[in-house]
Amino acid sequence: MIKNDPIIVANDLTIAYELHRERKKLVALQNINLEVDPGEFVVLVGPSGCGKTSFINAISGLVPKASGSVTVRGSEVTGPGPDRAMVFQDYALLPWRTVESNVRMPFEFQDLGISEAEKNKRVKECLELVDLTGFEKSFPYELSGGMKQRVGIARALITSPDILLADEPFAAIDAMTREAMQAEMERIVMETGQTCVFITHSIDEAILLGDRVIVISYRPGKIKEVVNVNFPRPRMNNSDVKTSKEYAELRDHIWNLVKDEASQTNRGE
Amino acid sequence: MAATKNKSLQQFDTDDPNRIQDIGWTFKEVWRRARGTVVVSINLITFFILWELVVIYADINPLFLPKASEMFAELWVGLTTRAPEGAVFSGSILDHFLHSFNNLMFGLALACLIGIPGGLLMGGNKYIEAILSPYVWALASLPRIALVPLFILFLGFTTKMQVTIIVISAVFPIMINSWAGVKTTEKSLLAAARVFGANRVQLYVKVVLPYTLPFIISGIQQGIGRGLIGVVIAELFGGSSGLGYLIQRSADTFNTAMTFAVLLLLIVMSLSLINFTRWLEAYVAPWRNVNHI
Ligand SMILES: Nc1ncnc2c1ncn2[C@@H]1O[C@H](COP(=O)(O)OP(=O)(O)O)[C@@H](O)[C@H]1O
Ligand SMILES: [Mg+2]
């Protein structure tokens, strides 16, 4: 495989939901064309209900497409697979399991031919990576929101997936913790070289994390504009980035794009 | 690497000796633990003393309200004696209690055996749900007492009839709760398990079942309450043993102290069983009650 072949390709992807009660079909996403390169960090922004979650779920294999195609490394997505992992907005941790057991969950469901010792080592490594060593035996309800999401991230990293999908992972986390989590996210993705598709409502988060920011329009969801972000990494603890003129311009530009769409949301339906 | 950076975000290591501090047995700590028991004991003792005094000084006919002390005496005698071998009727509370208790346990076990798998199947398969749900709702909404004459007709004044009434009383809360547990399993937990590769069976065993377990237990808790009503009703209507029968007969023979003793025993039995299931629920699903602790 040539190094720069895109890893995810969406080709005229359309997703529709059947609204049985109204005997209608709701087209959530229409004719999306997008190529994501290996190791790239792509951020999706757009008003609520524009189809961001639908798009990421089409990549994860949770939502069937209506037409077009999504391929990962050239093969059609028909369902979830070990090459893709997901971080959820509401953490989605099993409340009856300890941190350790939650992180280990993907190993239980996927037979990757790894030995027990190897699995234990991976669990330990991943908990270390998200800075949760010492909390192996805690239950999710004993943790703060930020810590819960770190468990979610560790669980997504455990099988070393090529692609990390994240649906507003820090939306429910307080602002202080969120900054620390963003920095950690950037560090982890830089360290592991993973491809990341990330949804956020925060334009700052989008610019700080993304190599590209995709702005999606409202109903039917279409790609409105693709904005390249070229700041050097790491960006999170680099105050030069946030205070630069380009940053302010990018921010304004994306803000205006999203604002247009958001006002449509308020007007319509 | 990030370890020191995040210390400010109120993290302690679990092995950090400062994280867990020994409170010790201060007076305050002892009182905090014993408070509930002490208050309840004083409350109850006062209640029974007042009862005793009211009966003595208000000159109430013991046919209507016995002295509390007489009730306890009757209870003590009734629980420490048993009917002689070969007796046709027993006056021993213990004999009747064991009869009722065994029936209740047997009936509850049967109700669980029917209700839990039934509820799980209904929650898991929309065809089974569509077929069974009208019958379940119909029977669940029918006052179960209305069925008693019918069961007496079918089965006579037998233990079988009594157990059947307990089962029919207890099975629906258990079934409906199990069903609801499956249906309300959090969608995001299911999505997560699916993303990480769970197949249908694994989704059921590793997500739906553990999620439903506390629902099942609270179904059993409601089932105990209903089952006890079933026990007493079945025995009041027909039969020659059990606490319901004893209530009936002691009232008929104007032995009011005995009637009250049996009522007290029913209260104690019901509360013990319900508290046991509460504890069990908190034990298997500590995450559900975290806000109340
Ligand atoms: N399971 C579903 N059934 C019906 N409609 C849905 C479903 N999921 C999402 N939708 C609709 O599709 C649109 C896009 O939803 P979503 O992808 O969640 O948007 P976003 O994540 O950008 O807020 C919304 O209008 C939403 O109401
Ligand atoms: Mg969404």
Side-chain angles (χ1 to χ4, degrees):
Chain A
M1 187 179 193
I2 308 157
K3 189 170 170 281
N4 271 340
D5 267 1
I7 184 166
I8 306 170
V9 179
N11 199 346
D12 268 337
L13 173 68
T14 299
I15 298 173
Y17 295 102
E18 286 179 23
L19 306 175
H20 287 290
R21 223 167 352 137
E22 301 166 40
R23 282 173 286 119
K24 279 180 191 160
K25 257 188 178 175
L26 181 121
V27 179
L29 272 181
Q30 198 171 47
N31 297 342
I32 297 286
N33 287 293
L34 185 70
E35 298 191 345
V36 181
D37 291 328
E40 197 182 9
F41 202 119
V42 170
V43 181
L44 307 175
V45 297
S48 280
C50 73
K52 306 180 293 293
T53 301
S54 304
F55 182 49
I56 221 172
N57 280 340
I59 302 173
S60 75
L62 283 178
V63 167
K65 57 188 190 307
S67 67
S69 73
V70 194
T71 58
V72 168
R73 287 199 194 289
S75 52
E76 189 73 34
V77 171
T78 53
D83 50 352
R84 286 151 287 149
M86 180 111 120
V87 182
F88 296 83
Q89 176 177 348
D90 57 359
Y91 323 124
L93 304 176
L94 300 181
W96 50 88
R97 289 188 174 214
T98 61
V99 166
E100 194 174 25
S101 162
N102 263 294
V103 171
R104 183 186 279 272
M105 185 180 88
F107 282 148
E108 277 170 45
F109 297 152
Q110 298 166 1
D111 185 17
L112 303 169
I114 303 175
S115 71
E116 269 313 297
E118 191 79 16
K119 288 178 186 171
N120 291 337
K121 197 169 136 252
R122 269 306 284 168
V123 172
K124 204 161 166 281
E125 278 171 10
C126 286
L127 284 173
E128 216 163 89
L129 193 67
V130 298
D131 200 19
L132 277 176
T133 310
F135 291 96
E136 291 84 355
K137 298 281 178 260
S138 303
F139 284 89
Y141 66 87
E142 299 170 318
L143 306 179
S144 68
M147 291 162 87
K148 279 183 209 161
Q149 195 54 292
R150 275 188 248 183
V151 179
I153 294 172
R155 177 178 64 180
L157 296 173
I158 190 87
T159 53
S160 313
D162 297 332
I163 298 169
L164 193 60
L165 306 169
D167 189 353
E168 301 184 37
F170 308 143
I173 292 170
D174 65 278
M176 289 265 281
T177 313
R178 192 186 309 156
E179 270 187 35
M181 299 285 296
Q182 289 165 351
E184 237 161 291
M185 190 82 190
E186 184 182 41
R187 175 176 62 81
I188 288 167
V189 172
M190 276 169 70
E191 265 176 41
T192 57
Q194 275 159 327
T195 310
C196 192
V197 181
F198 190 102
I199 299 176
T200 181
H201 270 120
S202 154
I203 292 170
D204 285 306
E205 190 168 89
I207 300 173
L208 286 169
L209 287 175
D211 296 319
R212 271 195 291 167
V213 178
I214 319 280
V215 182
I216 300 181
S217 65
Y218 186 66
R219 275 195 197 174
K222 289 183 176 165
I223 293 182
K224 181 162 187 178
E225 194 170 321
V226 177
V227 181
N228 288 306
V229 185
N230 293 317
F231 296 112
R233 287 184 192 277
R235 299 169 186 166
M236 289 314 299
N237 294 318
N238 182 350
S239 51
D240 292 348
V241 172
K242 270 194 137 174
T243 52
S244 70
K245 192 161 148 279
E246 294 114 286
Y247 184 91
E249 283 169 5
L250 263 179
R251 204 177 178 286
D252 271 356
H253 181 61
I254 297 174
W255 172 243
N256 285 327
L257 291 171
V258 176
K259 201 174 59 181
D260 281 357
E261 292 307 320
S263 60
Q264 298 234 329
T265 322
N266 296 338
R267 223 179 304 136
E269 288 157 270
Chain B
M1 55 203 100
T4 44
K5 179 191 65 200
N6 283 326
K7 268 287 188 282
S8 56
L9 303 173
Q10 42 158 289
Q11 280 189 33
F12 294 96
D13 294 331
T14 30
D15 51 0
D16 184 341
N18 292 326
R19 185 168 181 260
I20 295 169
Q21 294 171 0
D22 204 351
I23 302 171
W25 286 108
T26 57
F27 174 73
K28 212 169 139 193
E29 183 60 17
V30 174
W31 171 242
R32 202 182 65 76
R33 279 158 187 265
R35 187 173 48 196
T37 322
V38 172
V39 170
V40 169
S41 308
I42 294 177
N43 188 351
L44 286 181
I45 290 169
T46 316
F47 173 78
F48 285 118
I49 290 176
L50 280 178
W51 175 347
E52 186 82 11
L53 294 178
V54 165
V55 174
I56 294 172
Y57 291 104
D59 198 23
I60 291 175
N61 186 345
L63 214 55
F64 297 137
L65 187 63
K67 282 190 262 180
S69 57
E70 284 169 356
M71 173 185 72
F72 282 113
E74 196 69 49
L75 190 60
W76 174 253
V77 173
L79 285 177
T80 48
T81 53
R82 306 206 57 167
E85 204 72 39
V88 184
F89 291 117
S90 169
S92 149
I93 296 179
L94 186 61
D95 285 337
H96 293 285
F97 169 75
L98 287 178
H99 175 88
S100 297
F101 188 76
N102 290 340
N103 278 357
L104 178 66
M105 286 300 133
F106 187 57
L108 280 175
L110 279 179
C112 286
L113 279 178
I114 301 165
I116 295 172
L120 293 178
L121 282 174
M122 284 174 76
N125 183 303
K126 61 173 190 269
Y127 298 108
I128 299 180
E129 181 178 25
I131 294 169
L132 291 185
S133 60
Y135 304 105
V136 171
W137 285 124
L139 285 172
S141 58
L142 184 73
R144 257 52 55 86
I145 189 171
L147 291 171
V148 173
L150 209 55
F151 285 123
I152 293 177
L153 183 69
F154 293 159
L155 299 166
F157 295 102
T158 56
T159 304
K160 216 186 249 171
M161 177 274 288
Q162 295 178 339
V163 171
T164 307
I165 287 167
I166 296 168
V167 173
I168 208 87
S169 304
V171 74
F172 293 107
I174 296 173
M175 191 181 276
I176 289 169
N177 267 277
S178 316
W179 178 15
V182 175
K183 294 299 258 190
T184 56
T185 306
E186 264 177 58
K187 297 287 169 288
S188 69
L189 297 184
L190 294 171
R194 279 175 61 204
V195 163
F196 292 110
N199 59 31
R200 255 186 97 77
V201 175
Q202 286 167 327
L203 272 184
Y204 242 80
V205 175
K206 306 239 163 158
V207 183
V208 174
L209 274 187
Y211 190 89
T212 306
L213 186 59
F215 286 80
I216 295 176
I217 293 174
S218 70
I220 294 175
Q221 189 179 318
Q222 292 167 29
I224 288 172
R226 303 285 187 82
L228 251 151
I229 298 175
V231 169
V232 175
I233 286 174
E235 293 165 352
L236 278 175
F237 266 83
S240 53
S241 49
L243 293 177
Y245 164 75
L246 199 56
I247 290 175
Q248 179 88 23
R249 201 187 58 174
S250 57
D252 283 351
T253 54
F254 305 110
N255 186 354
T256 326
M258 170 79 95
T259 310
F260 274 85
V262 175
L263 291 177
L264 184 67
L265 187 62
L266 277 173
I267 291 172
V268 171
M269 174 160 106
S270 174
L271 284 183
S272 310
L273 287 171
I274 283 169
N275 274 325
F276 170 71
T277 53
R278 285 227 179 99
W279 171 84
L280 195 66
E281 194 179 353
Y283 180 80
V284 300
W287 69 89
R288 289 184 97 209
N289 290 321
V290 71
N291 294 328
H292 307 303
I293 296 173

